[in-house]
Amino acid sequence: MTDATANAAPAAGRRTSKSIIETDANTRKRNAAEARFRYYGMAAIGVGLFFLCALTFSILRSGLPAFTETAVTVDFTLSQEQFDEAEGQVLKTAAYEGFFVRELQAELNEEGASDVEVSEAAVGRIMGKVGSQIREFYRANPDRLGEEVSFTLPASSRVDRYLNGNLSREQLTNSRFLEPDDLDIVDGLVESGVMVNAFDWGFITGTDSGVDNPGGAGLGASIMGSFFMMLVVLVLALPIGVAASIYLEEFAPQNKFTDLIEINISNLAAVPSIVFGILGLAVFIQFAHLPQSAPLVGGLVLTLMTLPTIIISTRASLKSVPPSIRAAALGVGASKMQSVFHHVLPLAMPGILTGTIIGLAQALGETAPLLLIGMVGYVARQHPDGLASGLLDPNSAMPAQIYTWAARSDPAFYEKAWGGIIILLVFLLFMNAIAIILRRRFERRW
Amino acid sequence: MALTIHVKQEFSMKSVTLTASALAIAVAAPAFAQSRENVQVAGSSTVLPYASIVAEAFGENTDFPTPVVESGGSSAGLARFCEGVGENSIDIANASRAIRDGEVETCAENGVEEIIEVRIGYDGIVFASQQSGPEFTAFEPSDWFSALAAEIPQDGEMVSNPNSTWADVNGDLPDVEISAFIPGTKHGTREVFEENVLLQGCEDTGAYDQMVEAGMSEDDAESACMAVRTDGASVDIDGDYTETLARIESNPDGIGVFGLAFYENNTDTLKVATMGGVEPSTETIASGEYPVSRPLFFYIKKAHIGVIPGLKEFASFFVSDEIAGPGGPLANYGLVPDPELADTQSKIENETTLGDEQS
């Protein structure tokens, strides 16, 4: 203020000799500053967009191969004797795999798909873990023994990476996983149409697999784990959060005690999530003896984490309802509670729901607290078969599963981790889109 | 059982408390009513891959449900193992080192008195750099000691490590900056690295003798041998091998410490170095020629056998010849099979505990 008056006085003295059409040095300076600021703004947005594009591109490039699977479709016959022999062994699946590999080898050599003799070991290296699929089929359909059945079975993860272009022939060194010469057989199989690279639904619906079987890994079980956790968060955090905010905003007296609660809630929102994980481990598992690795515990921990977010956003949307509405309701004889529940709350609802969904989306992507309550490892290995099993049986969650995959040594799991990120992002985008739609459609302005 | 007694005690009291406790039981019931059907395993992240392979195969090949295997590290796993007996505690702890006496004591204090130790095989520790980097093809433990030691004795005095390139350490090594990525102190691998490489190298170079001559006690000299420099030439990796791999990929001169199984899964990006003239492989590690390896274990809570369905079956399945033996899926993944697997199998069969072994 004082600066402005100080500058104005000499400027007024000089202005007499200048035209108002001609811009003077001072105006040019101010215009230039404004133009510069616009460029800074555009540059900032440009940098943001660039990083967004780079991130999207790299996620899609690394993650899309995870959604496809290289599979071999062949006719295969298993005799009753072979079935009995395999069932009598300790590692039954390996026995089935052996039968399959030998039959495929014989077939390949007969047809002459490759100039050189195909060895059993090479076929074994090309094929993934096929034993359990074959065993499951014949255990379910013992009447099909002895007749020809068409199987579509996965190739090994390295063949998959070769066909996706992530592994070149030059990079491949001789190892027991895959040898460069095996690629001739692979090329032959692809040419003859026996081996195809197709969309893999199992990646979206399946369960986690052992570290030597990246082809069989799926995110389905952990999606269910995340779902049950979000259910717990929604059922607990929404009523508790909304009740707390309504009381604090509409009923509570303004005193030191409520001020203290308010400050604490704001502080809780900024507490690192790992702290809630340790709290969950100590309170829910060690003290309350709830089961380890259960989505129920994960949901409780995430509830604690989401509550402050929901309370803050709910209070903000209650505050934004004009006091005139409350005054009018009270004026026509409504009780305090009627005015809140009949008038204020419905008007604040879109804001509350938006806050809740954003809180849920935040909880959905949270990994750190789950590390401490045992949701990382080989955990998501079966689909829950009901509400109780969904809440109490050990399971993982999407981000924890991605974290687990990224740490495994087979590079194919690294691709699976990127693919998992795509699925997680789709869920988050979907939830944020719902929040935006709710806000746009139901929000009122005064 | 405990719940019914509780109700009986409450019976004589006021009806209000009775309803309250009934309510508490009703709330608690779902958590207790469901008895655990699957085996729960936790512990070492080095054993985790093997345990997950076996767990998957166990679920596919038997009628028992697939066990749950959590990671978290050997010490964390054993700590949870020793929390007590009951459905809420884990049945098996994986460890990349043997259980310590202190841990056995903690276990006993909490009622876990009978522990069965199972050695599943050996894990090799290898030194690898990126494919396009300089030729690190041959190492001796002494090279690693001279390159990474915090202080080196010189003329009877300890001076801070003067070596800045590998060529300073050994003329045969490439003339590039020392930049090593070694496992952080929370890893079991670090202990093996310190004892089999750094301490060995310290003794080989004669530094250990010099330190003792200079008046250090044997313990002090040992810890001086294993102290790693902190000036940036050596970086502790607290994450897993994937993180080490990422560091190596972005640093052509970098050399990292990996598990054999991890290296074998990534031969297209990593180049391995020999140690003491021996190339690491399952054969050289099994025969003991390759010097840096360690046994891997898991520990079974005997009190849970017969309570948790499939626990003993899972343990016997794990160490069966078809799984843990040569040519089995574990060896295929990079585990070095234990030549004395038959002893381990009979140990599980007879449920021989740690206490039985000592007496």
Side-chain angles (χ1 to χ4, degrees), chain B residues 4-36:
Chain B
T4 43
I5 295 165
H6 189 57
V7 174
K8 268 182 195 163
Q9 281 173 342
E10 299 278 315
F11 203 68
S12 57
M13 297 183 191
K14 279 183 197 167
S15 64
V16 182
T17 36
L18 186 66
T19 3
S21 77
L23 202 72
I25 292 165
V27 172
F32 292 104
Q34 200 184 9
S35 64
R36 186 147 62 79

Side-chain angles (χ1 to χ4, degrees), chain A residues 420-441:
Chain A
I421 290 173
I422 294 180
I423 298 183
L424 185 61
L425 284 180
V426 167
F427 272 96
L428 291 177
L429 276 180
F430 182 68
M431 289 173 78
N432 286 340
I434 292 181
I436 291 171
I437 290 169
L438 280 178
R439 202 163 50 219
R440 279 280 162 84
R441 291 205 58 172

Side-chain angles (χ1 to χ4, degrees), chain B residues 48-107:
Chain B
L48 173 73
Y50 305 115
S52 80
I53 292 174
V54 182
E56 188 183 41
F58 186 69
E60 284 171 355
N61 284 288
T62 65
D63 296 327
F64 295 106
T66 312
V68 174
V69 191
E70 291 168 38
S71 77
S74 304
S75 302
L78 282 166
R80 276 177 59 190
F81 182 78
C82 290
E83 265 167 20
V85 174
E87 276 184 10
N88 267 303
S89 60
I90 56 172
D91 312 310
I92 292 180
N94 292 329
S96 55
R97 57 169 172 79
I99 192 167
R100 297 190 179 117
D101 290 341
E103 287 164 338
V104 176
E105 279 162 30
T106 319
C107 263

Side-chain angles (χ1 to χ4, degrees), chain A residues 248 252-256 258-259 262 315:
Chain A
L248 281 177
Q254 279 286 321
N255 56 27
K256 286 234 168 82
T258 46
D259 281 352
E262 254 171 64
R315 293 192 62 183

Side-chain angles (χ1 to χ4, degrees), chain A residues 135 176 293 378 381 409, chain B residues 60 66 69-70 264 332-333:
Chain A
R135 177 169 190 248
R176 60 171 178 276
S293 324
Y378 179 57
R381 75 264 179 274
S409 49
Chain B
E60 284 171 355
T66 312
V69 191
E70 291 168 38
E264 290 195 324
N332 231 342
Y333 189 74

Side-chain angles (χ1 to χ4, degrees), chain B residues 67-298:
Chain B
V68 174
V69 191
E70 291 168 38
S71 77
S74 304
S75 302
L78 282 166
R80 276 177 59 190
F81 182 78
C82 290
E83 265 167 20
V85 174
E87 276 184 10
N88 267 303
S89 60
I90 56 172
D91 312 310
I92 292 180
N94 292 329
S96 55
R97 57 169 172 79
I99 192 167
R100 297 190 179 117
D101 290 341
E103 287 164 338
V104 176
E105 279 162 30
T106 319
C107 263
E109 277 166 26
N110 294 328
V112 187
E113 276 159 1
E114 294 182 301
I115 304 168
I116 307 173
E117 182 181 72
V118 180
R119 189 174 60 211
I120 59 166
Y122 293 86
D123 177 36
I125 290 166
V126 307
F127 300 83
S129 55
Q130 63 163 252
Q131 285 283 4
S132 49
E135 289 288 318
F136 292 109
T137 49
F139 280 122
E140 295 292 335
S142 55
D143 300 337
W144 277 87
F145 168 71
S146 309
L148 293 194
E151 292 184 321
I152 288 179
Q154 231 168 38
D155 310 324
E157 263 182 68
M158 296 299 279
V159 294
S160 64
N161 196 335
N163 301 319
S164 63
T165 68
W166 285 102
D168 290 346
V169 171
N170 178 346
D172 296 338
L173 290 170
D175 187 14
V176 295
E177 290 274 317
I178 296 172
S179 112
F181 300 96
I182 63 172
T185 42
K186 75 163 197 164
H187 285 279
T189 320
R190 174 63 171 261
E191 226 167 279
V192 186
F193 173 72
E194 286 177 349
E195 277 168 18
N196 295 16
V197 181
L198 293 182
L199 189 58
Q200 184 63 43
C202 185
E203 284 167 7
D204 291 353
T205 52
Y208 178 76
D209 292 337
Q210 286 181 36
M211 288 183 207
V212 174
E213 271 170 36
M216 271 191 188
S217 75
E218 286 186 8
D219 281 354
D220 284 349
E222 268 190 27
S223 44
C225 283
M226 296 193 290
V228 172
R229 65 201 292 181
T230 50
D231 55 0
S234 162
V235 178
D236 278 15
I237 304 286
D238 278 323
D240 32 52
Y241 295 135
T242 329
E243 192 187 334
T244 318
L245 179 68
R247 298 289 199 102
I248 296 288
E249 276 180 337
S250 61
N251 181 352
D253 298 341
I255 181 140
V257 176
F258 296 96
L260 177 71
F262 189 91
Y263 157 68
E264 290 195 324
N265 269 289
N266 290 280
T267 41
D268 48 338
T269 45
L270 288 174
K271 189 169 60 180
V272 77
T274 59
M275 179 58 78
V278 186
E279 187 166 332
S281 70
T282 44
E283 292 79 26
T284 53
I285 291 165
S287 68
E289 282 173 77
Y290 186 77
V292 206
S293 70
R294 54 154 167 202
L296 300 177
F297 299 94
F298 66 80

